[in-house]
Amino acid sequence: MQPVVTAKVTQKDVPIDIAAVGNVEAYTTISLRSQITGQIDQAFFHEGDVVRKGALLFKIDPRPLTSALQQSQANETRDQALLAQAEAQLARDAATAEFQQLTSERQGQLVAKGIVSKDASEQSHAQADATLATVNADKAAIASARAQLAVQQSITENARVQLSYTDIRSPIDGRTGNNTVKVGNLATVNQELVTIAQLEPIYVTFTVPAVHLPTIKQHLGADKLPVVATPQDEDKKSAEGQLTFVDNVVDAATDTIKLKATFTNSDHRLWPGQFARVSLRLTTLSGATVVPSQAVQTGQDGQFVFVVKADSTVAQRPVTVAQRVAEDVVIGKGLAPGETIVTEGQLRLENGTRVQASDPNGNVQDRGGKGGRGGNGGNGGNGADGGRGGRRGRTS
């Protein structure tokens, strides 16, 4: 009787996961830069602070830009007055032109009756034409004044915008990095002041073999694939997220596809730049037939297992492996839940070999009632062999 370790064929739901190593990325990273040149008067945060969107971070000396805005506003007021003066001049000249035109028409009528001379009529007509030309000149002056006012208004608005740049605010919620320009220093245009990284939510980027792409694409709709990320640090606490991005091209050099998972990260468990172990769950096999992976052997005719029968003998049975999951395998065909299979000691077995089965802890498994006393003081067989045990004793 050959000693072996056995296990039961079980039936359970088996999750199908893909393991990978990913890199944590900030959801958004902003490089905050100065849009004007000026001395930094105040900083309203400390390096590494968590700041909210719209929070005031820096104050640049506003006095030069305040003066420029006031000067522009004064020029705008002047141009408004010039426009009003031109409009008044036009109104006066238009009234004069109308009077001169009426006078010219009356002079023409009097000439026709012989009351006034033709020279007087022509002189009146010339005065009307001159006044009309003055009106046209006034209209051109008004158009010029309006254009000048529009230019000055744009200058004023630009000065107002420039002044607003003296208050530098955070464009996102996030955590600040190193403050590269301290209070009292001169900030120049486009100079980086500080970076802000958005940590809630956060990305983990990783790659998986492209062979899994069809399964992944099936879940790009409403049902998001779950992802678990565990940072490679002393704290083994994991974070749970969802797959939110699949790259639009497969890397031909490695035959992998780039993926991104999004995590809420409310506890800031994940930190930009960290490496993390990632587990992407593709699907769950419901009611799968599962055995330990060491139970499956490979022979000339394919994969097989040794099944322990009721009489403590073994039978070699071919099986089909559907999926390997960690230390277990999912059997597609060949076994039924509840059967007993050999997990250790297969090298000494063949069809019909009688075995003494024990579990992985070394406890001998009872396969039925105890047999009678055998010859030479030996114990009888168990279960089905109980009747024969009295004659044979223990078979070795």
Side-chain angles (χ1 to χ4, degrees), residues 303-379:
Q303 294 177 311
F304 66 91
V305 298
F306 284 106
V307 179
V308 181
K309 299 191 293 185
D311 61 356
S312 294
T313 62
V314 296
Q316 181 175 319
R317 186 182 300 175
V319 295
T320 301
V321 175
Q323 186 75 42
R324 293 186 179 272
V325 182
E327 297 181 355
D328 296 330
V329 294
V330 176
I331 301 299
K333 184 170 61 176
L335 291 176
E339 291 187 293
T340 302
I341 58 172
V342 178
T343 59
E344 294 183 23
Q346 296 97 322
L347 292 178
R348 298 185 298 271
L349 303 182
E350 60 183 17
N351 275 326
T353 301
R354 189 175 298 278
V355 297
Q356 183 181 23
S358 63
D359 61 22
N361 296 323
N363 301 317
V364 176
Q365 295 182 351
D366 185 4
R367 301 193 61 79
K370 292 184 178 179
R373 298 282 295 177
N376 298 326
N379 292 329

Side-chain angles (χ1 to χ4, degrees), residues 273-314:
Q274 274 185 318
F275 287 99
R277 295 188 300 275
V278 177
S279 178
L280 170 65
R281 179 155 298 175
L282 291 178
T283 186
T284 299
L285 301 178
S286 300
T289 301
V290 180
V291 299
S293 60
Q294 64 266 31
V296 180
Q297 304 293 303
T298 303
Q300 293 180 348
D301 298 328
Q303 294 177 311
F304 66 91
V305 298
F306 284 106
V307 179
V308 181
K309 299 191 293 185
D311 61 356
S312 294
T313 62
V314 296

Side-chain angles (χ1 to χ4, degrees), residues 157 267 269 298 317 336:
E157 183 61 27
D267 58 353
R269 178 72 185 89
T298 303
R317 186 182 300 175

Side-chain angles (χ1 to χ4, degrees), residues 206-285:
F206 58 102
T207 59
V208 300
V211 67
H212 299 297
L213 185 57
T215 304
I216 293 172
K217 289 193 296 184
Q218 292 176 2
H219 297 81
L220 291 181
D223 298 331
K224 301 289 186 181
L225 292 177
V227 180
V228 176
T230 306
Q232 296 180 341
D233 53 22
E234 295 182 358
D235 185 1
K236 300 302 182 182
K237 183 179 178 182
S238 300
E240 297 182 358
Q242 291 183 329
L243 182 68
T244 53
F245 169 77
V246 179
D247 202 359
N248 59 359
V249 63
V250 173
D251 188 339
T254 59
D255 194 32
T256 58
I257 185 74
K258 181 179 178 181
L259 309 176
K260 278 187 182 181
T262 303
F263 298 79
T264 56
N265 202 37
S266 57
D267 58 353
H268 293 180
R269 178 72 185 89
L270 302 174
W271 208 258
Q274 274 185 318
F275 287 99
R277 295 188 300 275
V278 177
S279 178
L280 170 65
R281 179 155 298 175
L282 291 178
T283 186
T284 299
L285 301 178

